[in-house]
Amino acid sequence: MWGKTHPRYQVLALAAAVLFLALFAAAVHAQEPEPDPEEIDQVEVIVLPELPQLFITGNDVTNPPTIVLHAVGRDAEGNAIDFTTEPLKLTSNGTAVVPSVTDTFPVGTFTVFLIDIPTGVEEQLPVIRDSIKQFAGPGSGMQEQIDYIAIYQVGETEAISLLPPDNFYNSVQNFFVDDLTPETGSTALIDSIVSLLDQMEELKPVPEMSSSIVVMSDGTDVVSTLNEPADIITRTASLNLPIHTIWVDSTDLTFQGQEQGQAFLQEISDSSYGLATTLDNSDGLSDIWRHIASFREHARVRYVIDDLTGGIFDIELSLANDPSASASMTVEMPDNQ
């Protein structure tokens, strides 16, 4: 990894990310005439989600008086929470109950690869192919028939689907039977990322799945006009979705262009609690694959309510060591149960 941010500096890093993306947007659109000061809209304040985070993804009331919640979470560094070592607090209709985590079960992950392959990266196409095949291979980031993968390409105005969501290894292997073809026209990286983010909830095969995007690009973009870099932060914050970035070397870039591209991808990952690395860093790629796979399992949080009756219960689950990290859900117990 070329720049993983320490948790104590996350707030400063994320603030710097917003500033960097704003400056990047200004550089991209520097050729446009300056607007009248009276016409400048007020800058929207982007509120990033605070870590750690908890999510209740489902419940099971088929074995009363025991109720089971399904939970997943992100710790202070954005990694999956290990609920076997993290004490929890739980209230049901305001009454404290004692929860226990007995096991986990596979819900699966949904990972979308967005590859940016202009003419300057032809030499890197076999490495891009092999990296995605590695992720989709046994024992790596994807578990067949549980996890899903999709592949998109950066287009002139939006992301272009190459491989729809699929959960079989062979589908990825068969996709790469034909070589990747470089995009000879302009590629709009920012517009493509935002267009993909807007589709993620609809594309997700299972609503409870943890999803992420892996961007493979040289990090440059001089043609996006529909969206600004800050729009990426806004979307990822609302979706609680990390963007992992993998920088791809391009022969068309100067040394300064390479540095700017890497910095842009780093800031995207930092602002979404993702990881960033370079295509030639095998350890960095493995770290991303492990990070994605760690969200496959969700915890079963069990608790018992004495004298349980039918009705609706307002449940709140929180970390005992950090009560600000909490999630809530309404659980309905049928009268006939």
Side-chain angles (χ1 to χ4, degrees):
M1 316 298 284
W2 80 69
K4 186 175 181 180
T5 305
H6 193 279
R8 67 198 293 185
Y9 299 118
Q10 278 185 337
V11 175
L12 291 176
L14 294 176
V18 176
L19 177 61
F20 177 87
L21 294 178
L23 293 175
F24 182 90
V28 167
H29 302 296
Q31 69 276 14
E32 298 179 0
E34 294 186 3
D36 189 314
E38 296 182 357
E39 297 178 357
I40 298 178
D41 295 331
Q42 184 175 356
V43 176
E44 179 184 0
V45 177
I46 302 173
V47 180
L48 299 174
E50 294 185 3
L51 297 183
Q53 288 178 295
L54 278 181
F55 305 96
I56 301 175
T57 57
N59 65 78
D60 181 0
V61 297
T62 59
N63 190 29
T66 299
I67 295 177
V68 180
L69 301 179
H70 305 156
V72 68
R74 298 197 287 185
D75 65 17
E77 292 186 339
N79 300 314
I81 291 177
D82 181 0
F83 288 99
T84 61
T85 61
E86 186 70 49
L88 297 170
K89 294 176 61 177
L90 193 148
T91 61
S92 175
N93 281 347
T95 301
V97 294
V98 179
S100 63
V101 178
T102 56
D103 61 350
T104 62
F105 67 103
V107 174
T109 62
F110 177 47
T111 307
V112 179
F113 281 84
L114 177 62
I115 58 176
D116 188 10
I117 48 176
T119 53
V121 302
E122 291 102 331
E123 296 179 1
Q124 305 299 317
L125 295 183
V127 187
I128 292 174
R129 176 200 62 204
D130 292 343
S131 298
I132 299 176
K133 289 172 65 175
Q134 179 196 54
F135 170 84
S140 190
M142 174 184 169
Q143 186 170 334
E144 190 173 38
Q145 299 189 60
I146 294 178
D147 300 327
Y148 278 78
I149 182 176
I151 302 175
Y152 277 71
Q153 180 175 336
V154 174
E156 294 184 8
T157 58
E158 61 182 1
I160 302 169
S161 175
L162 300 180
L163 177 68
D166 201 289
N167 61 349
F168 286 97
Y169 298 145
N170 283 341
S171 298
V172 179
Q173 297 289 332
N174 294 336
F175 169 76
F176 284 111
V177 168
D178 296 325
D179 294 334
L180 293 171
T181 303
E183 175 60 61
T184 57
S186 301
T187 57
L189 179 59
I190 297 170
D191 288 345
S192 293
I193 293 176
V194 173
S195 71
L196 188 55
L197 287 168
D198 288 341
Q199 302 176 61
M200 287 299 290
E201 289 302 301
E202 179 182 345
L203 290 172
K204 191 188 300 185
V206 178
E208 294 78 17
M209 282 182 166
S210 298
S211 56
S212 56
I213 294 176
V214 179
V215 175
M216 308 179 79
S217 170
D218 63 13
T220 61
D221 181 359
V222 295
V223 298
S224 288
T225 57
L226 302 176
N227 300 278
E228 301 292 341
D231 293 327
I232 298 174
I233 301 179
T234 303
R235 301 297 202 282
T236 56
S238 64
L239 294 172
N240 290 305
L241 176 152
I243 296 181
H244 306 292
T245 59
I246 300 172
W247 182 76
V248 181
D249 191 13
S250 171
T251 57
D252 289 349
L253 295 181
T254 63
F255 179 75
Q256 182 180 12
Q258 292 176 342
E259 287 187 323
Q260 291 176 343
Q262 289 191 34
F264 178 58
L265 295 180
Q266 179 75 61
E267 299 298 348
I268 289 177
S269 291
D270 286 347
S271 64
S272 64
Y273 303 114
L275 302 180
T277 190
T278 57
L279 187 60
D280 60 357
N281 186 341
S282 58
D283 290 339
L285 296 179
S286 296
D287 285 343
I288 294 177
W289 306 162
R290 280 193 294 268
H291 186 281
I292 293 172
S294 69
F295 288 91
R296 178 183 302 125
E297 301 279 333
H298 290 199
R300 288 190 175 97
V301 182
R302 302 176 187 271
Y303 62 99
V304 176
I305 297 182
D306 296 329
D307 301 322
L308 180 64
T309 61
I312 296 176
F313 300 84
D314 293 324
I315 306 299
E316 181 168 343
L317 182 69
S318 62
L319 298 181
N321 297 325
D322 189 350
S324 64
S326 64
S328 59
M329 169 178 275
T330 298
V331 174
E332 182 175 1
M333 175 63 67
D335 291 330
N336 61 4
Q337 285 288 89

